[in-house]
Amino acid sequence: MADAGASGQMVALAREAKGWTQQDLAKKSGMAQGSVSKIERGHMSLDEEGLERVASALEVPQTLLCMGEAPLALEATCLHHRRRASRMAVVTAKKIEGLTQLVGMSAQRLMEEPESGLVLPLHRQPLGPDVAPQDIAAKLRADWGMSPGPVSNMTELLERAGVTVIVRQLGSDAQDAVSGWPPGGNPIVLVNMGLPPDRFRFTLAHELGHLLMHELPDDEQESQANAFAAEFLLPADLIQIELDGLTVRQFGRLAELKARWKVSIAALIQRAAQLECISPTQFKSFRIRLNQYGWNRREPGDLVPEAPMRLRTAIDRHLQAGRTEEELAEIALMLPEQFRRHYLEPTASPLPAATSTNEEP
Ligand SMILES: [Zn+2]
């Protein structure tokens, strides 16, 4: 490795991905906090022993810290957050960003070999005065030659368009996913573990909207990504007929629509209100019913979970080519035990949880 020094940028990234402050790293590596700060700003370099201590405290290989810079990492401005809570601690947001960058680097390096079967084109589609999110969603469905019904597998679609989809514990349930598109690299969507399948699919559609429409953060982007997702999963010209005249007594009909369209009942009700198939008063009554039934926490009618396959396939290809787990960990810039835990063990299953463990008797 040329000029084997640690890069301050990589030390900061690995620290943030752990959800640590500079003080945490100082404590765990036995350094002064001032030194951590100087190292991260590039004002001080680590000697061999310091590098060993910092890498071991952060549980990363020394090679990661000596990467110079994160050439394939995402720009912070490309990270779009789907925050359910409006407030998130800075350290948590940094952790999710850092994690996304590290996972993105690992995935990019593991998938470096050319892949076959990526057939769906994906290009940015800027919004404009005459271009609404739903226009972009409708155009994408047409460009991808999708049949006019429900989306059968959202994850497979994204993967066929070259998007890396990874399910990981984000360490906060205030955020369902994060996505980004590094210059010259593959778009990545990191989804929080444990989302029910309907929310998982909606989240992917929402993130797809961000990837297409948003390069820089702005205030409207959450509602725009939701409008994109709603049209992509429930195209107005098809769903309107099905939702027209819906009454609050018809939860059976909603359950049937949920099974067919693979979206939550809550999303269907939302869509019905958006398309003015129900009045604002009816919408309110629906929401009250959902609360009464406890369905705002967990809906009946679990869907089959979708599993990302692309990274898994790339890893299998490496293993079949005779590469060892240690070699793969090195490619992924991870310690072997971390690599095993996140990518090889059965508990590392990319499946989102089929059901959430809820209190229902
Ligand atoms: Zn979002």
Side-chain angles (χ1 to χ4, degrees):
M1 182 134 306
D3 318 268
S7 119
Q9 196 198 336
M10 292 309 297
V11 171
L13 188 59
R15 170 181 65 73
E16 287 172 355
K18 274 240 174 243
W20 287 359
T21 60
Q22 289 184 336
Q23 202 170 6
D24 295 328
L25 177 56
K27 218 186 309 171
K28 305 215 177 184
S29 62
M31 280 195 300
Q33 191 190 334
S35 309
V36 173
S37 156
K38 279 183 199 152
I39 288 159
E40 291 190 356
R41 281 182 290 138
H43 295 168
M44 188 178 142
S45 54
L46 277 169
D47 58 16
E48 210 170 306
E49 192 237 325
L51 174 61
E52 215 175 289
R53 271 194 295 166
V54 170
S56 125
L58 290 167
E59 298 179 283
V60 296
Q62 296 180 18
T63 42
L64 175 75
L65 302 182
C66 298
M67 283 295 287
E69 59 184 73
L72 294 167
L74 313 168
E75 287 297 318
T77 47
C78 293
L79 293 167
H80 304 295
H81 292 187
R82 181 165 187 231
R83 294 202 173 112
R84 289 190 297 127
S86 55
R87 290 163 63 85
M88 179 183 277
V90 174
V91 70
T92 310
K94 287 268 178 210
K95 176 182 166 159
I96 293 171
E97 287 185 10
L99 188 66
T100 308
Q101 305 215 28
L102 292 183
V103 171
M105 286 170 72
S106 293
Q108 191 91 18
R109 289 165 59 97
L110 286 165
M111 297 192 301
E112 212 123 56
E113 288 172 30
E115 291 175 80
S116 52
L118 298 181
V119 287
L120 301 175
L122 194 66
H123 307 288
R124 289 204 196 271
Q125 304 279 334
L127 291 159
D130 301 317
V131 189
Q134 44 273 39
D135 301 328
I136 293 173
K139 182 174 179 297
L140 189 67
R141 284 186 69 116
D143 288 351
W144 283 359
M146 293 165 64
S147 54
V151 176
S152 67
N153 190 325
M154 196 61 214
T155 311
E156 193 195 328
L157 268 186
L158 257 67
E159 292 197 313
R160 281 174 59 209
V163 179
T164 307
V165 180
I166 295 174
V167 180
R168 278 288 276 273
Q169 207 84 55
L170 294 184
S172 160
D173 62 3
Q175 184 145 343
D176 284 349
V178 59
S179 62
W181 197 337
N186 286 324
I188 178 172
V189 177
L190 201 61
V191 189
N192 208 355
M193 202 170 270
L195 299 189
D198 46 21
R199 200 158 100 212
F200 182 82
R201 282 165 52 88
F202 194 91
T203 296
L204 287 187
H206 173 106
E207 296 301 326
L208 177 61
H210 279 317
L211 290 171
L212 288 173
M213 303 183 294
H214 302 133
E215 273 187 88
L216 296 168
D218 82 71
D219 291 348
E220 297 298 310
Q221 67 178 25
E222 285 312 285
S223 57
Q224 288 167 347
N226 283 335
F228 173 93
E231 175 64 29
F232 193 82
L233 290 169
L234 299 168
D237 58 346
L238 298 169
I239 201 69
Q240 193 147 21
I241 313 158
E242 311 227 33
L243 292 172
D244 257 339
L246 188 73
T247 68
V248 186
R249 292 173 195 285
Q250 289 175 303
F251 273 98
R253 186 163 145 205
L254 283 169
E256 187 270 317
L257 287 174
K258 171 179 179 170
R260 191 146 47 86
W261 287 88
K262 300 183 188 178
V263 297
S264 67
I265 288 175
L268 283 162
I269 294 169
Q270 188 83 44
R271 192 69 173 140
Q274 267 165 17
L275 298 172
E276 296 177 5
C277 302
I278 57 174
S279 68
T281 318
Q282 278 179 303
F283 178 67
K284 244 185 232 162
S285 315
F286 268 117
R287 301 292 315 176
I288 291 167
R289 287 290 173 98
L290 286 185
N291 280 321
Q292 281 170 348
Y293 297 159
W295 290 1
N296 54 334
R297 279 169 287 125
R298 186 186 162 191
E299 284 187 9
D302 286 324
L303 303 171
V304 179
E306 295 181 1
M309 296 305 297
R310 216 170 138 228
L311 184 56
R312 180 71 247 183
T313 308
I315 290 171
D316 286 346
R317 246 196 334 254
H318 283 295
L319 292 170
Q320 277 154 18
R323 291 190 187 102
T324 63
E325 292 176 13
E326 284 70 24
E327 286 168 331
L328 288 191
E330 219 173 288
I331 294 175
L333 298 167
M334 295 168 83
L335 293 180
E337 62 265 31
Q338 311 273 17
F339 180 77
R340 254 177 238 123
R341 183 152 66 87
H342 288 298
Y343 293 117
L344 298 175
E345 280 172 16
T347 47
S349 158
L351 285 180
T355 53
S356 44
T357 46
N358 251 333
E359 61 284 357
E360 256 140 72

